[in-house]
Amino acid sequence: MSKEWHPDSVRLAMPAEAIDIVAVQRAWLASEPRLAPMLDELDADEMAQAWVAAIVRPPLATYRVLVAIDQAGEIVGFAAVGPSEDPDTEPSDALVAEFCVHPSALGAGHEDRLMHAVADTLRTDGFERATWWVTADDDTTRELLNASGWAPDGAHQEVGNEDGDLRIKQVRLHTSLI
């Protein structure tokens, strides 16, 4: 099957692309030594079904899944955004719930394009501030976000699996969209 040429771009995800989103997500998890063991517990078909539901039947119209596409037309990244559900946020606050770029596509500009599309989408949906939970020791993501105007807002949490053998400390960053 020949592929048409596609400029690097970001757009809303289509349901048929759920398996491609899962591939990016699984590659990203595999690249994170602390998270890679989770792959054994995650069924790719179930993950794809969850992404299809997020794309086709979001709980509100302001929940969106965006995909980053390379010049070959391949999905190399994705983001899931929507209203923040944190108890200390305002109704005008959004959340970047997921943001992944395939490890092999890092540094090609997809991160920046995807981040700008996230901000534009949230702004268009009427949000005034965006929040993003980042692993406390993920210096690469924090540096990228800090350089783009994101800053810690003082909130922190610890998340993990049901067994309690995986605990991850996170800090919340925020940025103004207005």
Side-chain angles (χ1 to χ4, degrees), residues 115-171:
M115 192 179 326
H116 287 289
V118 161
D120 290 344
T121 298
L122 294 173
R123 194 176 299 111
T124 299
D125 284 341
F127 293 106
E128 297 176 4
R129 184 177 90 122
T131 60
W132 189 326
W133 287 100
V134 179
T135 303
D137 61 357
D138 184 351
D139 295 334
T140 303
T141 301
R142 288 179 71 167
E143 287 174 16
L144 173 71
L145 293 173
N146 288 335
S148 300
W150 294 73
D153 68 3
H156 54 88
Q157 67 181 6
E158 191 171 295
V159 297
N161 63 3
E162 292 177 7
D163 297 337
D165 57 351
L166 177 66
R167 305 301 300 165
I168 298 171
K169 293 180 181 181
Q170 296 181 318
V171 295

Short mmCIF file of all heavy atoms in Angstrom, two decimals, residues 115-171:
data_model
loop_
_atom_site.label_atom_id
_atom_site.label_comp_id
_atom_site.label_asym_id
_atom_site.label_seq_id
_atom_site.Cartn_x
_atom_site.Cartn_y
_atom_site.Cartn_z
N MET A 115 2.02 20.15 21.18
CA MET A 115 1.76 21.04 22.31
C MET A 115 1.03 22.31 21.88
O MET A 115 0.09 22.75 22.55
CB MET A 115 3.06 21.41 23.02
CG MET A 115 2.81 22.07 24.35
SD MET A 115 4.29 22.51 25.28
CE MET A 115 5.44 21.24 24.89
N HIS A 116 1.41 22.88 20.75
CA HIS A 116 0.72 24.07 20.24
C HIS A 116 -0.72 23.75 19.85
O HIS A 116 -1.64 24.53 20.11
CB HIS A 116 1.47 24.68 19.06
CG HIS A 116 2.73 25.39 19.46
ND1 HIS A 116 2.74 26.58 20.13
CD2 HIS A 116 4.03 25.03 19.31
CE1 HIS A 116 3.97 26.95 20.37
NE2 HIS A 116 4.78 26.02 19.88
N ALA A 117 -0.93 22.58 19.25
CA ALA A 117 -2.29 22.18 18.87
C ALA A 117 -3.15 21.95 20.11
O ALA A 117 -4.34 22.29 20.12
CB ALA A 117 -2.25 20.91 18.01
N VAL A 118 -2.56 21.39 21.15
CA VAL A 118 -3.28 21.20 22.41
C VAL A 118 -3.74 22.56 22.94
O VAL A 118 -4.90 22.76 23.29
CB VAL A 118 -2.40 20.46 23.45
CG1 VAL A 118 -2.92 20.65 24.86
CG2 VAL A 118 -2.32 18.98 23.10
N ALA A 119 -2.80 23.51 23.02
CA ALA A 119 -3.15 24.85 23.54
C ALA A 119 -4.21 25.52 22.67
O ALA A 119 -5.18 26.09 23.21
CB ALA A 119 -1.90 25.72 23.62
N ASP A 120 -4.07 25.44 21.35
CA ASP A 120 -5.06 26.06 20.45
C ASP A 120 -6.43 25.41 20.62
O ASP A 120 -7.45 26.10 20.65
CB ASP A 120 -4.61 25.94 18.99
CG ASP A 120 -3.41 26.81 18.67
OD1 ASP A 120 -3.10 27.74 19.45
OD2 ASP A 120 -2.78 26.56 17.62
N THR A 121 -6.46 24.09 20.74
CA THR A 121 -7.73 23.37 20.91
C THR A 121 -8.39 23.76 22.22
O THR A 121 -9.60 24.05 22.25
CB THR A 121 -7.49 21.84 20.86
OG1 THR A 121 -6.95 21.51 19.57
CG2 THR A 121 -8.77 21.07 21.09
N LEU A 122 -7.63 23.77 23.30
CA LEU A 122 -8.20 24.13 24.60
C LEU A 122 -8.68 25.57 24.63
O LEU A 122 -9.76 25.87 25.15
CB LEU A 122 -7.17 23.87 25.71
CG LEU A 122 -6.79 22.41 25.93
CD1 LEU A 122 -5.64 22.30 26.93
CD2 LEU A 122 -8.00 21.59 26.36
N ARG A 123 -7.91 26.46 24.04
CA ARG A 123 -8.31 27.87 23.96
C ARG A 123 -9.61 28.01 23.17
O ARG A 123 -10.54 28.71 23.59
CB ARG A 123 -7.18 28.68 23.31
CG ARG A 123 -7.30 30.16 23.46
CD ARG A 123 -6.08 30.89 22.86
NE ARG A 123 -4.83 30.52 23.51
CZ ARG A 123 -3.85 29.81 22.93
NH1 ARG A 123 -3.96 29.42 21.68
NH2 ARG A 123 -2.76 29.51 23.59
N THR A 124 -9.71 27.33 22.05
CA THR A 124 -10.91 27.37 21.21
C THR A 124 -12.12 26.82 21.97
O THR A 124 -13.24 27.32 21.80
CB THR A 124 -10.69 26.56 19.91
OG1 THR A 124 -9.62 27.16 19.19
CG2 THR A 124 -11.94 26.54 19.05
N ASP A 125 -11.90 25.84 22.83
CA ASP A 125 -12.99 25.26 23.62
C ASP A 125 -13.34 26.12 24.84
O ASP A 125 -14.18 25.72 25.65
CB ASP A 125 -12.63 23.84 24.06
CG ASP A 125 -12.76 22.84 22.92
OD1 ASP A 125 -13.45 23.15 21.92
OD2 ASP A 125 -12.19 21.73 23.02
N GLY A 126 -12.69 27.27 24.99
CA GLY A 126 -13.06 28.21 26.04
C GLY A 126 -12.31 28.06 27.35
O GLY A 126 -12.64 28.72 28.34
N PHE A 127 -11.29 27.22 27.38
CA PHE A 127 -10.52 27.07 28.61
C PHE A 127 -9.55 28.23 28.75
O PHE A 127 -9.05 28.77 27.76
CB PHE A 127 -9.75 25.74 28.61
CG PHE A 127 -10.66 24.54 28.70
CD1 PHE A 127 -10.89 23.74 27.58
CD2 PHE A 127 -11.30 24.23 29.89
CE1 PHE A 127 -11.73 22.64 27.65
CE2 PHE A 127 -12.15 23.12 29.96
CZ PHE A 127 -12.36 22.34 28.84
N GLU A 128 -9.27 28.62 29.99
CA GLU A 128 -8.38 29.74 30.26
C GLU A 128 -7.03 29.31 30.82
O GLU A 128 -6.06 30.06 30.76
CB GLU A 128 -9.05 30.71 31.24
CG GLU A 128 -10.31 31.33 30.67
CD GLU A 128 -11.04 32.23 31.65
OE1 GLU A 128 -10.53 32.44 32.78
OE2 GLU A 128 -12.12 32.72 31.29
N ARG A 129 -6.97 28.12 31.39
CA ARG A 129 -5.74 27.62 31.98
C ARG A 129 -5.67 26.12 31.70
O ARG A 129 -6.69 25.44 31.67
CB ARG A 129 -5.75 27.86 33.49
CG ARG A 129 -4.47 27.46 34.21
CD ARG A 129 -4.55 27.81 35.70
NE ARG A 129 -5.10 26.69 36.44
CZ ARG A 129 -4.47 26.08 37.45
NH1 ARG A 129 -3.31 26.50 37.86
NH2 ARG A 129 -5.03 25.06 38.07
N ALA A 130 -4.45 25.64 31.48
CA ALA A 130 -4.26 24.20 31.27
C ALA A 130 -3.35 23.67 32.37
O ALA A 130 -2.43 24.36 32.83
CB ALA A 130 -3.63 23.94 29.91
N THR A 131 -3.62 22.43 32.80
CA THR A 131 -2.79 21.76 33.78
C THR A 131 -2.28 20.45 33.20
O THR A 131 -2.88 19.90 32.26
CB THR A 131 -3.57 21.49 35.09
OG1 THR A 131 -4.70 20.65 34.80
CG2 THR A 131 -4.05 22.79 35.72
N TRP A 132 -1.19 19.97 33.79
CA TRP A 132 -0.54 18.77 33.25
C TRP A 132 0.21 18.12 34.41
O TRP A 132 1.10 18.72 35.01
CB TRP A 132 0.44 19.22 32.19
CG TRP A 132 1.10 18.20 31.33
CD1 TRP A 132 1.49 16.94 31.67
CD2 TRP A 132 1.50 18.38 29.99
NE1 TRP A 132 2.10 16.32 30.61
CE2 TRP A 132 2.12 17.19 29.57
CE3 TRP A 132 1.41 19.45 29.08
CZ2 TRP A 132 2.64 17.03 28.29
CZ3 TRP A 132 1.92 19.28 27.82
CH2 TRP A 132 2.52 18.09 27.41
N TRP A 133 -0.15 16.88 34.73
CA TRP A 133 0.57 16.13 35.76
C TRP A 133 1.78 15.49 35.14
O TRP A 133 1.67 14.75 34.15
CB TRP A 133 -0.34 15.06 36.38
CG TRP A 133 -1.38 15.64 37.27
CD1 TRP A 133 -2.69 15.86 36.97
CD2 TRP A 133 -1.21 16.07 38.62
NE1 TRP A 133 -3.35 16.42 38.05
CE2 TRP A 133 -2.45 16.56 39.08
CE3 TRP A 133 -0.13 16.11 39.49
CZ2 TRP A 133 -2.64 17.06 40.36
CZ3 TRP A 133 -0.31 16.61 40.77
CH2 TRP A 133 -1.56 17.08 41.19
N VAL A 134 2.95 15.76 35.69
CA VAL A 134 4.22 15.27 35.15
C VAL A 134 4.94 14.48 36.23
O VAL A 134 4.97 14.88 37.40
CB VAL A 134 5.10 16.46 34.70
CG1 VAL A 134 6.44 15.97 34.16
CG2 VAL A 134 4.38 17.29 33.66
N THR A 135 5.54 13.36 35.84
CA THR A 135 6.34 12.59 36.78
C THR A 135 7.43 13.49 37.34
O THR A 135 8.12 14.18 36.59
CB THR A 135 6.94 11.36 36.08
OG1 THR A 135 5.86 10.60 35.51
CG2 THR A 135 7.72 10.49 37.03
N ALA A 136 7.56 13.49 38.66
CA ALA A 136 8.45 14.42 39.34
C ALA A 136 9.89 14.37 38.85
O ALA A 136 10.56 15.39 38.80
CB ALA A 136 8.40 14.17 40.85
N ASP A 137 10.36 13.19 38.42
CA ASP A 137 11.75 13.10 37.97
C ASP A 137 11.89 13.06 36.45
O ASP A 137 12.95 12.75 35.93
CB ASP A 137 12.43 11.89 38.60
CG ASP A 137 11.77 10.57 38.23
OD1 ASP A 137 10.74 10.58 37.52
OD2 ASP A 137 12.29 9.51 38.65
N ASP A 138 10.84 13.45 35.72
CA ASP A 138 10.90 13.49 34.26
C ASP A 138 11.42 14.86 33.82
O ASP A 138 10.68 15.75 33.44
CB ASP A 138 9.51 13.22 33.66
CG ASP A 138 9.52 13.15 32.15
OD1 ASP A 138 10.56 13.47 31.53
OD2 ASP A 138 8.47 12.80 31.58
N ASP A 139 12.74 15.01 33.93
CA ASP A 139 13.37 16.29 33.62
C ASP A 139 13.18 16.72 32.18
O ASP A 139 13.04 17.91 31.89
CB ASP A 139 14.86 16.24 33.97
CG ASP A 139 15.10 16.07 35.45
OD1 ASP A 139 14.23 16.45 36.26
OD2 ASP A 139 16.17 15.53 35.81
N THR A 140 13.16 15.77 31.25
CA THR A 140 13.02 16.11 29.84
C THR A 140 11.68 16.79 29.57
O THR A 140 11.62 17.85 28.93
CB THR A 140 13.16 14.84 28.96
OG1 THR A 140 14.42 14.23 29.25
CG2 THR A 140 13.06 15.17 27.49
N THR A 141 10.60 16.19 30.06
CA THR A 141 9.27 16.79 29.85
C THR A 141 9.16 18.11 30.59
O THR A 141 8.62 19.09 30.05
CB THR A 141 8.16 15.82 30.30
OG1 THR A 141 8.29 14.61 29.54
CG2 THR A 141 6.79 16.41 30.08
N ARG A 142 9.65 18.16 31.80
CA ARG A 142 9.57 19.40 32.56
C ARG A 142 10.34 20.53 31.88
O ARG A 142 9.88 21.66 31.83
CB ARG A 142 10.07 19.18 33.99
CG ARG A 142 9.06 18.37 34.80
CD ARG A 142 9.52 18.12 36.18
NE ARG A 142 9.46 19.37 36.95
CZ ARG A 142 9.57 19.42 38.26
NH1 ARG A 142 9.73 18.31 38.95
NH2 ARG A 142 9.50 20.56 38.89
N GLU A 143 11.51 20.22 31.32
CA GLU A 143 12.29 21.24 30.61
C GLU A 143 11.53 21.73 29.38
O GLU A 143 11.50 22.93 29.11
CB GLU A 143 13.66 20.69 30.21
CG GLU A 143 14.62 20.54 31.37
CD GLU A 143 15.91 19.85 30.97
OE1 GLU A 143 16.21 19.76 29.75
OE2 GLU A 143 16.63 19.40 31.88
N LEU A 144 10.93 20.81 28.63
CA LEU A 144 10.14 21.18 27.46
C LEU A 144 8.98 22.09 27.87
O LEU A 144 8.75 23.13 27.26
CB LEU A 144 9.60 19.93 26.75
CG LEU A 144 8.62 20.16 25.61
CD1 LEU A 144 9.32 20.75 24.40
CD2 LEU A 144 7.92 18.86 25.24
N LEU A 145 8.28 21.70 28.92
CA LEU A 145 7.14 22.49 29.37
C LEU A 145 7.57 23.84 29.94
O LEU A 145 6.95 24.87 29.67
CB LEU A 145 6.31 21.71 30.38
CG LEU A 145 5.60 20.48 29.81
CD1 LEU A 145 4.94 19.68 30.92
CD2 LEU A 145 4.59 20.88 28.76
N ASN A 146 8.63 23.85 30.75
CA ASN A 146 9.11 25.11 31.31
C ASN A 146 9.50 26.09 30.20
O ASN A 146 9.21 27.28 30.28
CB ASN A 146 10.30 24.88 32.26
CG ASN A 146 9.87 24.25 33.56
OD1 ASN A 146 8.74 24.39 33.99
ND2 ASN A 146 10.79 23.55 34.20
N ALA A 147 10.16 25.58 29.16
CA ALA A 147 10.56 26.43 28.03
C ALA A 147 9.35 26.96 27.27
O ALA A 147 9.45 27.98 26.58
CB ALA A 147 11.47 25.65 27.09
N SER A 148 8.21 26.30 27.42
CA SER A 148 6.98 26.72 26.72
C SER A 148 6.05 27.52 27.62
O SER A 148 4.90 27.75 27.27
CB SER A 148 6.25 25.48 26.19
OG SER A 148 7.07 24.79 25.29
N GLY A 149 6.52 27.90 28.81
CA GLY A 149 5.73 28.76 29.67
C GLY A 149 4.94 28.06 30.75
O GLY A 149 4.15 28.68 31.46
N TRP A 150 5.13 26.76 30.92
CA TRP A 150 4.46 26.02 31.99
C TRP A 150 5.28 26.15 33.26
O TRP A 150 6.50 26.24 33.20
CB TRP A 150 4.33 24.55 31.62
CG TRP A 150 3.43 24.26 30.47
CD1 TRP A 150 3.68 24.50 29.15
CD2 TRP A 150 2.14 23.67 30.52
NE1 TRP A 150 2.63 24.08 28.39
CE2 TRP A 150 1.66 23.57 29.20
CE3 TRP A 150 1.35 23.20 31.56
CZ2 TRP A 150 0.43 23.04 28.89
CZ3 TRP A 150 0.11 22.65 31.25
CH2 TRP A 150 -0.34 22.58 29.93
N ALA A 151 4.62 26.12 34.41
CA ALA A 151 5.31 26.23 35.69
C ALA A 151 4.57 25.40 36.74
O ALA A 151 3.36 25.21 36.64
CB ALA A 151 5.38 27.69 36.13
N PRO A 152 5.30 24.94 37.76
CA PRO A 152 4.63 24.20 38.84
C PRO A 152 3.63 25.11 39.56
O PRO A 152 3.86 26.31 39.69
CB PRO A 152 5.78 23.83 39.80
CG PRO A 152 7.02 24.01 39.01
CD PRO A 152 6.74 25.02 37.96
N ASP A 153 2.51 24.52 39.98
CA ASP A 153 1.52 25.31 40.72
C ASP A 153 1.42 24.89 42.18
O ASP A 153 0.54 25.33 42.91
CB ASP A 153 0.16 25.29 40.04
CG ASP A 153 -0.53 23.94 40.06
OD1 ASP A 153 0.01 22.99 40.66
OD2 ASP A 153 -1.62 23.83 39.47
N GLY A 154 2.33 24.02 42.62
CA GLY A 154 2.37 23.60 44.02
C GLY A 154 1.63 22.31 44.31
O GLY A 154 1.81 21.73 45.38
N ALA A 155 0.81 21.82 43.39
CA ALA A 155 0.08 20.58 43.62
C ALA A 155 0.98 19.38 43.32
O ALA A 155 1.82 19.43 42.42
CB ALA A 155 -1.17 20.53 42.76
N HIS A 156 0.79 18.32 44.08
CA HIS A 156 1.54 17.09 43.85
C HIS A 156 0.66 15.91 44.25
O HIS A 156 -0.31 16.05 45.01
CB HIS A 156 2.86 17.07 44.61
CG HIS A 156 2.70 17.31 46.07
ND1 HIS A 156 2.45 16.31 46.97
CD2 HIS A 156 2.72 18.46 46.78
CE1 HIS A 156 2.34 16.83 48.17
NE2 HIS A 156 2.49 18.13 48.10
N GLN A 157 0.97 14.75 43.70
CA GLN A 157 0.22 13.53 44.01
C GLN A 157 1.12 12.32 43.79
O GLN A 157 2.18 12.42 43.18
CB GLN A 157 -1.04 13.42 43.15
CG GLN A 157 -0.77 13.21 41.67
CD GLN A 157 -2.05 13.13 40.83
OE1 GLN A 157 -3.15 13.35 41.33
NE2 GLN A 157 -1.90 12.85 39.55
N GLU A 158 0.66 11.19 44.27
CA GLU A 158 1.35 9.93 44.03
C GLU A 158 0.33 8.97 43.43
O GLU A 158 -0.78 8.83 43.94
CB GLU A 158 1.91 9.36 45.34
CG GLU A 158 2.85 8.21 45.12
CD GLU A 158 3.56 7.80 46.41
OE1 GLU A 158 4.34 8.61 46.93
OE2 GLU A 158 3.31 6.66 46.85
N VAL A 159 0.68 8.36 42.31
CA VAL A 159 -0.21 7.42 41.63
C VAL A 159 0.52 6.09 41.50
O VAL A 159 1.74 6.02 41.63
CB VAL A 159 -0.64 7.93 40.24
CG1 VAL A 159 -1.45 9.21 40.35
CG2 VAL A 159 0.56 8.15 39.33
N GLY A 160 -0.23 5.03 41.26
CA GLY A 160 0.39 3.73 41.11
C GLY A 160 -0.61 2.67 40.70
O GLY A 160 -1.78 2.96 40.44
N ASN A 161 -0.14 1.44 40.66
CA ASN A 161 -1.02 0.34 40.29
C ASN A 161 -1.74 -0.21 41.51
O ASN A 161 -1.45 0.16 42.65
CB ASN A 161 -0.24 -0.75 39.55
CG ASN A 161 0.84 -1.40 40.40
OD1 ASN A 161 1.00 -1.10 41.57
ND2 ASN A 161 1.59 -2.29 39.77
N GLU A 162 -2.68 -1.09 41.27
CA GLU A 162 -3.50 -1.65 42.35
C GLU A 162 -2.69 -2.48 43.34
O GLU A 162 -3.03 -2.55 44.52
CB GLU A 162 -4.64 -2.49 41.76
CG GLU A 162 -5.66 -1.67 41.01
CD GLU A 162 -6.73 -2.53 40.37
OE1 GLU A 162 -6.76 -3.75 40.60
OE2 GLU A 162 -7.56 -1.96 39.63
N ASP A 163 -1.63 -3.12 42.86
CA ASP A 163 -0.81 -3.95 43.74
C ASP A 163 0.05 -3.13 44.69
O ASP A 163 0.56 -3.66 45.68
CB ASP A 163 0.11 -4.86 42.92
CG ASP A 163 -0.65 -5.84 42.05
OD1 ASP A 163 -1.82 -6.13 42.39
OD2 ASP A 163 -0.09 -6.30 41.05
N GLY A 164 0.23 -1.87 44.37
CA GLY A 164 1.03 -1.00 45.21
C GLY A 164 2.53 -1.14 45.00
O GLY A 164 3.31 -0.50 45.70
N ASP A 165 2.94 -1.94 44.01
CA ASP A 165 4.37 -2.11 43.79
C ASP A 165 4.94 -1.06 42.82
O ASP A 165 6.14 -1.00 42.61
CB ASP A 165 4.71 -3.52 43.31
CG ASP A 165 3.96 -3.93 42.05
OD1 ASP A 165 3.06 -3.19 41.63
OD2 ASP A 165 4.28 -4.99 41.49
N LEU A 166 4.08 -0.24 42.25
CA LEU A 166 4.52 0.84 41.37
C LEU A 166 3.91 2.14 41.90
O LEU A 166 2.69 2.30 41.88
CB LEU A 166 4.07 0.59 39.92
CG LEU A 166 4.42 1.69 38.93
CD1 LEU A 166 5.93 1.80 38.77
CD2 LEU A 166 3.77 1.42 37.59
N ARG A 167 4.74 3.02 42.39
CA ARG A 167 4.30 4.30 42.91
C ARG A 167 5.07 5.38 42.17
O ARG A 167 6.30 5.33 42.08
CB ARG A 167 4.55 4.43 44.41
CG ARG A 167 3.95 3.33 45.27
CD ARG A 167 2.46 3.16 45.18
NE ARG A 167 1.73 4.35 45.58
CZ ARG A 167 0.44 4.55 45.32
NH1 ARG A 167 -0.24 3.64 44.66
NH2 ARG A 167 -0.16 5.64 45.70
N ILE A 168 4.36 6.37 41.65
CA ILE A 168 4.98 7.44 40.88
C ILE A 168 4.56 8.77 41.47
O ILE A 168 3.37 9.05 41.61
CB ILE A 168 4.56 7.36 39.40
CG1 ILE A 168 5.03 6.04 38.80
CG2 ILE A 168 5.13 8.54 38.62
CD1 ILE A 168 4.49 5.76 37.42
N LYS A 169 5.55 9.59 41.81
CA LYS A 169 5.29 10.93 42.32
C LYS A 169 5.15 11.88 41.14
O LYS A 169 5.95 11.83 40.20
CB LYS A 169 6.41 11.39 43.25
CG LYS A 169 6.47 10.58 44.52
CD LYS A 169 7.58 11.04 45.42
CE LYS A 169 7.60 10.17 46.68
NZ LYS A 169 8.63 10.58 47.61
N GLN A 170 4.12 12.70 41.20
CA GLN A 170 3.86 13.66 40.12
C GLN A 170 3.71 15.07 40.69
O GLN A 170 3.28 15.25 41.83
CB GLN A 170 2.56 13.31 39.38
CG GLN A 170 2.61 11.99 38.65
CD GLN A 170 1.31 11.73 37.92
OE1 GLN A 170 0.23 11.96 38.44
NE2 GLN A 170 1.42 11.21 36.71
N VAL A 171 4.08 16.04 39.86
CA VAL A 171 3.83 17.44 40.17
C VAL A 171 2.94 17.99 39.06
O VAL A 171 2.97 17.52 37.93
CB VAL A 171 5.14 18.26 40.26
CG1 VAL A 171 5.99 17.78 41.42
CG2 VAL A 171 5.92 18.20 38.97
#
